[in-house]
Amino acid sequence: MSDEQQPEAVPGAGQEALDAAIERAETTSSRNIPNLPGLPLADNTANLRQGPDLHPGLLGLLPLVGIWRGEGEGHDAAGDYHYGQQIIVSHDGQNYLSWESRSWKLDDKGEFSEPDLRESGFWRIGEDDEIEFLVTHASGIVELYYGKPVSQTAWELESDVVIRSKSSPLAGAAKRLYGLVEQGGALAYVEERVDADGELIPRLSAKLGRYAG
């Protein structure tokens, strides 16, 4: 990650960020993702106060659980643009986190312009603190990231495998840095991706406030 990218995702001191999150929970703790009845399985929950207990193997990823909403800056072949985003990180008591992300482009007035990126996947973390993040993009790309926690509230990942379908756009390797920001406890991240010239360049960056959980 370049020095210019990191300030947005620099986390606060781990325990201080977690304590602050407890205070903010007064407005978010009653919200959760909807579930349909009838399955013989535990419901997914994005709220640690509701549903099954978090698997003990996921404690290193606990601060990620929730629904996050906000805005960011993107760059693609057409140039720079502004976007909105929602990320849902949930679990069902098993030893993985479910990941759902949807984003949409915004116009110069900050209004909805058109749908943008969509991805889903799963996070795991081993006893040696190695993170595995498997993510599938609606555009036809599948990526496997590996990484390590930077602190209690920050995680850095680098793609190991990028697979694309015949109809998907070209995509190079990528790096992602996620972290809870000290001021306000938002989830901030930066994604850098290798371009056609083999250079690692900024692709996405955003700051997302906790909406639920």
Side-chain angles (χ1 to χ4, degrees):
M1 298 289 172
S2 62
D3 292 341
E4 290 80 5
Q5 309 307 312
Q6 290 200 23
E8 280 294 312
V10 170
Q15 190 58 50
E16 293 178 4
L18 294 175
D19 290 342
I22 295 174
E23 297 180 10
R24 291 189 299 276
E26 293 184 7
T27 58
T28 65
S29 60
S30 63
R31 299 172 180 161
N32 202 355
I33 55 176
N35 285 285
L36 298 174
L39 293 181
L41 301 168
D43 287 335
N44 267 13
T45 177
N47 190 324
L48 293 172
R49 300 165 187 80
Q50 302 175 21
D53 293 336
L54 186 73
H55 191 285
L58 295 174
L59 293 178
L61 299 173
L62 179 151
L64 282 172
V65 176
I67 300 176
W68 307 87
R69 291 182 177 179
E71 297 182 0
E73 300 294 332
H75 178 82
D76 59 16
D80 297 331
Y81 65 94
H82 195 55
Y83 66 91
Q85 185 175 27
Q86 173 179 277
I87 293 175
I88 300 175
V89 185
S90 61
H91 76 98
D92 63 359
Q94 299 188 71
N95 196 13
Y96 57 82
L97 296 181
S98 297
W99 172 271
E100 296 284 344
S101 172
R102 302 181 73 175
S103 64
W104 52 95
K105 290 186 177 181
L106 302 172
D107 61 22
D108 293 340
K109 297 181 180 179
E111 301 293 333
F112 171 82
S113 173
E114 61 181 301
D116 193 25
L117 306 174
R118 186 168 186 174
E119 61 183 43
S120 63
F122 299 95
W123 290 68
R124 296 177 178 83
I125 183 168
E127 294 181 359
D128 59 354
D129 285 341
E130 183 174 56
I131 299 169
E132 298 177 2
F133 179 33
L134 178 65
V135 58
T136 302
H137 301 258
S139 60
I141 295 169
V142 179
E143 298 179 282
L144 176 59
Y145 287 82
Y146 288 105
K148 290 281 188 177
V150 178
S151 70
Q152 284 182 294
T153 54
W155 308 267
E156 189 168 25
L157 308 165
E158 184 171 353
S159 63
D160 182 67
V161 177
V162 179
I163 302 172
R164 56 181 293 268
S165 67
K166 292 181 179 179
S167 63
S168 73
L170 293 174
K175 290 184 178 181
R176 295 187 182 187
L177 173 65
Y178 294 92
L180 297 191
V181 177
E182 183 174 6
Q183 295 295 327
L187 176 64
Y189 75 88
V190 173
E191 177 189 297
E192 296 178 313
R193 191 170 289 275
V194 174
D195 65 7
D197 296 323
E199 298 291 331
L200 191 65
I201 62 171
R203 172 70 178 90
L204 301 167
S205 64
K207 184 182 290 185
L208 313 175
R210 181 181 289 279
Y211 177 78

